[in-house]
Amino acid sequence: GAVVSQHPSRVICKSGTSVKIECRSLDFQATTMFWYRQFPKQSLMLMATSNEGSKATYEQGVEKDKFLINHASLTLSTLTVTSAHPEDSSFYICSARPGRAPVGYTFGSGTRLTVV
Amino acid sequence: AQKITQTQPGMFVQEKEAVTLDCTYDTSDPSYGLFWYKQPSSGEMIFLIYQGSYDQQNATEGRYSLNFQKARKSANLVISASQLGDSAMYFCAMSPTSTSGTYKYIFGTGTRLKVLA
């Protein structure tokens, strides 16, 4: 079945540093990927839509300069949290959809980011 | 504005019994999709079932079925013969149908299901 691989699964970084999270579609091509953020015991909030070969589309209230998204190939999208602060600590998860049929999206396993 | 409402923050069910997780939605889009996902404690999101707004029949996938009542704007998930492995967080999601094939989800707040032995 379709697999989306997300790395790292957990990362701890110091305030002020940058962290890159990778999202790869392993057995299908994904022109569009989505990045979500989930606070503890809360729902997933869409941050941005990553488009292969073009700029990402950010949701209202999401800082473009803080959350840099690059979708350089049909199988890889990256989210870089720049100048991380403790309030950026969260669970980040990406998703992509194999094929065009309206079936559910495949999600990565998520990245738990802790900024200390 | 689009909105998904899950009014049950937590549910308990006895093993082997059926359970219904509620989901209501609000949208002005004429065509949309409704989805249910399962999130175990490990964090990954597992797709369970999909219902299109124009589908005449309720969707079923194994032990999962979606009780779709369009007039009431509800899309409840029914899990039959609950198993201990069903214990997880369950999210209802909605997306307007897109001609480009891109579905932009709005998620509900989730229901935590605990299956009792």
Side-chain angles (χ1 to χ4, degrees), chain B residues 45-113:
Chain B
M45 295 286 283
I46 302 168
F47 166 69
L48 297 178
I49 196 166
Y50 162 82
Q51 178 85 44
S53 59
Y54 287 109
D55 292 343
Q56 296 296 317
Q57 292 188 327
N58 287 344
T60 59
E61 288 287 348
R63 294 188 298 112
Y64 305 107
S65 60
L66 200 152
N67 185 358
F68 180 46
Q69 298 189 43
K70 193 171 184 178
R72 294 185 178 183
K73 292 189 175 180
S74 73
N76 299 339
L77 176 70
V78 180
I79 304 175
S80 62
S82 297
Q83 302 172 356
L84 295 178
D86 293 334
S87 294
M89 194 75 167
Y90 288 81
F91 289 99
C92 180
M94 177 178 66
S95 173
T97 302
S98 166
T99 54
S100 69
T102 298
Y103 290 78
K104 204 170 174 181
Y105 286 159
I106 296 170
F107 283 89
T109 51
T111 296
R112 185 166 297 282
L113 176 67

Side-chain angles (χ1 to χ4, degrees), chain A residues 8 15 17 36 40 46 48 50 53 78 80 85 87 95 105 109 112-113:
Chain A
S15 288
T17 61
Y36 294 85
L46 179 65
S50 173
T78 60
T80 301
H85 290 286
E87 56 265 31
S95 75
Y105 277 67
S109 53
R112 176 79 56 196
L113 171 63

Side-chain angles (χ1 to χ4, degrees), chain A residues 23-25 30-35 48-50 71 75-77 95-96:
Chain A
C23 181
R24 292 180 185 272
S25 57
T31 55
T32 303
M33 292 184 176
F34 297 91
W35 287 95
T49 303
S50 173
H71 196 150
T75 59
L76 174 64
S77 175
S95 75

Side-chain angles (χ1 to χ4, degrees), chain B residues 25-46:
Chain B
Y25 61 93
D26 192 17
T27 181
S28 56
D29 292 299
S31 179
Y32 49 90
L34 296 156
F35 305 78
W36 277 91
Y37 281 84
K38 172 184 177 181
Q39 187 179 43
S41 57
S42 51
E44 74 269 28
M45 295 286 283
I46 302 168

Side-chain angles (χ1 to χ4, degrees), chain A residues 45-109:
Chain A
M45 299 298 295
L46 179 65
M47 298 175 64
T49 303
S50 173
N51 303 299
E52 187 268 334
S54 64
K55 291 182 179 180
T57 305
Y58 291 82
E59 295 301 301
Q60 192 173 12
V62 177
E63 299 176 60
K64 301 178 183 181
D65 295 333
K66 179 162 198 59
F67 299 101
L68 300 179
I69 290 174
N70 185 284
H71 196 150
S73 76
L74 287 171
T75 59
L76 174 64
S77 175
T78 60
L79 168 68
T80 301
V81 183
T82 63
S83 187
H85 290 286
E87 56 265 31
D88 298 326
S89 298
S90 189
F91 188 68
Y92 295 87
I93 191 166
C94 66
S95 75
R97 191 192 64 188
R100 288 189 60 84
V103 295
Y105 277 67
T106 299
F107 283 77
S109 53

